[in-house]
Amino acid sequence: MEHVPPPAEELARLDRELAELDARRAQLLTRRTWLLAALRPPGPTAAPGWNPSGWGAPPGAPAQPWGYVPKRPSAPRGAQNVLLTLGGLLLTVAAVAFTLVSWGSMGIGGRSAVLAAVTLGALIAPAVLLRRGLAATAEALAALALVLTLLDVYAVHAVAAPDTDGLGFTAAASAVLAALWTAYGLALGTLRLPLPAAVVLAQWPLLFWAWAAGAPALVVGWALLATAVLDGAIALWGKGTGVRVTACVGGSAMGFSALMVGLALSTTASGPLGAVAPGALLLAAAAAALAGAWRAPRGFARTGGVVAGLAAVAAVGGVPAAALPDGWRVLAYLLCGLALIGVVRAGVPRDAARGVLAASGTVVAGALVWALPPLAAVLLGPGTLLSDVWAGSPEGFRSALGSTLPWSELAAAPVVLALVAGLLGAAYRWWPSVVRITAPLAAPRTADTGTPGAGVPGVPGAVGAAAPWPGWSGWSGWSGAGAGAGRRPSAATLRGVVGAGAVALGWGAFLLAGALLDVPYALAVAGETALVGGLLALAVRGTGSDRGATAVPVTALVAAVAGAVSVGVLSLASEGASYAVFGALAALFAGAAVRAGAEVPRAVFAVAAVVWGAVLTGLAGESLGLAPQETAPLVLVVPALTVLLGARLRRNPVAMPVELTGALGALVAVGLAVSDASFLALVLALCGVLAAGAAVRPERRPVAGYLAAALFVLATWVRLAASEVSFPEAYTLPVTVPALVIGVLRRRRDPEASSWTAYGPGLAATLLPSMAVAWTDTDWLRPLLMGVAALVITLLGARYRLQALLLLGGAVLALDGLHELAPYVVQVAGALPRWLPPALAGLLLLVVGATYEQRLREARRLRDALGRMR
């Protein structure tokens, strides 16, 4: 009968067997790693160290603990390369010294024989060394041979052809050497240096030939372009990474130089005919870049597309631009840049087409940046009117801006903004068509087949150029090569961005048009106000749109607020214009707040309406000839309206922003009245009335109630100070006594009521003003009475556990005692040595630091005790 162990015993046995299997597997893996490392040849590619556990160590090696990683010996190849490099450098230095220094001590035959023999030996030696497997030595001698050929060329020019033009001889020599080194590198294909060196030498023949011939700049540009084209061909079809990288760097430098030559000649041409020849150079460069982008890898293809697009714009746009005035040339380039959008339907490979579209966007962005300074002048220029309000209506719009911009040279700025705004608006209107047309550029492509969508996880196998798969939004989804790429924004988001750009640029175009036409001042003010109304209508209309379309109303809202500020400042040149504009703005924003369908825009509209209303009240004080302090009570009209509106709105989300804006208006009124104590007391009292009115509402009572009490008390103090009252108790005690009686009755009816609510206002009404007067009183009677009263109040607070009495009485008692001791403290401080106060302060800090935890616990107990008081 077979014995079946209990489950617990069987489980323990299985765990032991699994642990033994894991240990055996780890040993086998360790042994396998060591064997792989032993089979690999020594060198920098050998596997990093091994971790034998004793049995897997090589013969004769001591066993090492688990996790031990032996230190790798320095690679012999590295030492060999260092030695070969130093040897090659020494031979090169010797060859240079021989050629430059010892050359003249030998005859012509000896010179030729020595150079020929050494150069021939240096060229033959690498072939022999390669057959014997000494590749590093062959590379070193090949480098020496390269230097020797350069010295040979120098020697030939110095002896055989000393009268030959240096640039022409250099051009011919570099061409011959490039051809020789190319043949040599191809014959000895294992060497890595000859072919890149040949590419470097190939950069100079055409350029030096053009300079030697005294060719014009255009011919030099063609020579640079031809060299860049040769480099591009080598970069695409060259042999080896070094050759391709060298050709790519050289082609970039030569191509950039050719483009700069063509662009300089095109922009400085005297007429359209003069711009044709440099345009042909730029157009040829664009064709070469596009041809390279057609066959280049992904990143290079996009770069080539960008270069091709920019060169094409400079080539085609430069011809009409040469016939236009300075202020209109940017428009020619902009139209050419917009024409590049046609690459979407041109059958260009996707990556190259994306580069061309990026070039188009770059041209458009450059044109918009060019139009920004005049737009900024229109928006910010009216700020100069703030220094002289109501000085009189200027004759034209430009005179109100105070700008010194050359407006005649910026005539195309509104046209540029309007053109781009129109195109963006059309794209926003017919967005589905845009998505369908651009689908081939947005569709993903796999690395193996190039089929859009093929092989991408979660994506159908093939996507037609005009038939996206269901649920695909055209721009959302995969951003490029495979699943590792990030996601693009959704189609709705991109559409919103396009619409927002159309709104912003269209608004800027209207503003600039008025400035460039220099319309009359009244027309400019009316037009900008109407434009603000249109933007508000657009913002209100879009507040109920879906999430993807929020960019349009948000942009319209921001533009409306910015335009309102600009036209409001612009209207300050005339009294009538100021009332008309700010009145219209208050009405427009108030109406927008009523019609808005979302909370945040509605709150912004309402806040702006309150601000414009407050400005109107300030303008009214200016019209009445009132001083700032006399205008302050008039400014409180708008805060009073916000309190009434808040009572009407109740818990509406708009109520809080509106009331806070009104509170800021009240703060402005207080600031206006600071210079006159009488008006300040009046304004503070009126603010207290407004706060008390807000405190009627239960949701505002916790804050507004205390604020009203504080404002009333502060108004009383200011009034007493303004009246130069030396005995404030005669005015404060008649208020304190009934207030305390009311507090006692309140506490009897509601024992849970806070002592601050019951007794705080009454005590503060007398204690604080009396303390302020006592602090400057030189007599002894008032401080004595204040100290006795504060002591009694403090003891009563401690006895009946009333927080307000304890804190107020204690604070006043401490201040009163400090006032009485201040003269003696000053005397003692003057008599003490200078070092004693810092020493006492340091000692105090040490004591407090040593007993920090105990002091912290005491502070917490004190806080808890105060918190338990009423």
Side-chain angles (χ1 to χ4, degrees), residues 276 387 409 585 636 698 705 727 756 775:
V276 171
S387 59
E409 298 179 5
L585 291 177
L636 291 176
F727 295 97
W756 289 100
W775 192 260

Side-chain angles (χ1 to χ4, degrees), residues 821-832:
L821 292 176
Y824 303 102
V825 172
V826 172
Q827 292 179 4
V828 172
L832 291 176

